[in-house]
């Protein structure tokens, strides 16, 4: 069956959650590429932060997947807490994406 027909069969609830589904897919793809299995609580936190940044992006027009890829990579590659990443201003996250700086939220006082 073609994809359009499948889309038409989706419930309204599923149609309303397509952005969230894309974010989840992105998170799991990045984790899989890094041979990591993420806890559901971590996945949900990354999804919420990604959604907030995506909805706040009025300048860069990054996709939800680009944002969630970046945030997931920051979490996995720098072994930083999501709270630390979430404390950053959303504009700082978007600017860091532009220059591919996944250590934008680090400071000398942060302990692993």
């Amino acid at each position: 069956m073609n994809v359009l027909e499948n889309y038409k069969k989706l419930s309204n609830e599923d149609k309303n959650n397509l952005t969230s589904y894309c974010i989840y897919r992105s998170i799991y793809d990045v984790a899989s590429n890094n041979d990591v299995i993420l806890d559901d609580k971590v996945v949900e936190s990354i999804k919420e932060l990604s959604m907030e940044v995506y909805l706040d992006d009025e300048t860069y027009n990054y996709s939800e997947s680009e944002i969630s890829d970046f945030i997931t990579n920051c979490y996995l590659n720098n072994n930083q807490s999501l709270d630390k990443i979430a404390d950053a201003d959303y504009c700082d996250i978007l600017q860091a994406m532009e220059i591919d700086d996944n250590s934008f939220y680090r400071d000398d006082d942060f302990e692993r």
Side-chain angles (χ1 to χ4, degrees), residues 32-79:
S32 176
N33 290 339
N34 284 277
D35 296 320
V36 173
I37 297 173
L38 295 173
D39 178 83
D40 286 351
K41 187 174 180 180
V42 170
V43 171
E44 191 60 33
S45 294
I46 294 171
K47 187 277 246 180
E48 290 299 322
L49 177 58
S50 299
M51 183 67 84
E52 289 173 14
V53 173
Y54 172 69
L55 294 173
D56 197 52
D57 179 9
E58 296 177 357
T59 304
Y60 297 94
N61 298 313
Y62 287 118
S63 72
E64 67 277 358
S65 295
E66 290 172 309
I67 292 169
S68 56
D69 284 354
F70 182 78
I71 292 171
T72 305
N73 276 311
C74 286
Y75 174 74
L76 293 176
N77 295 330
N78 292 315
N79 196 27

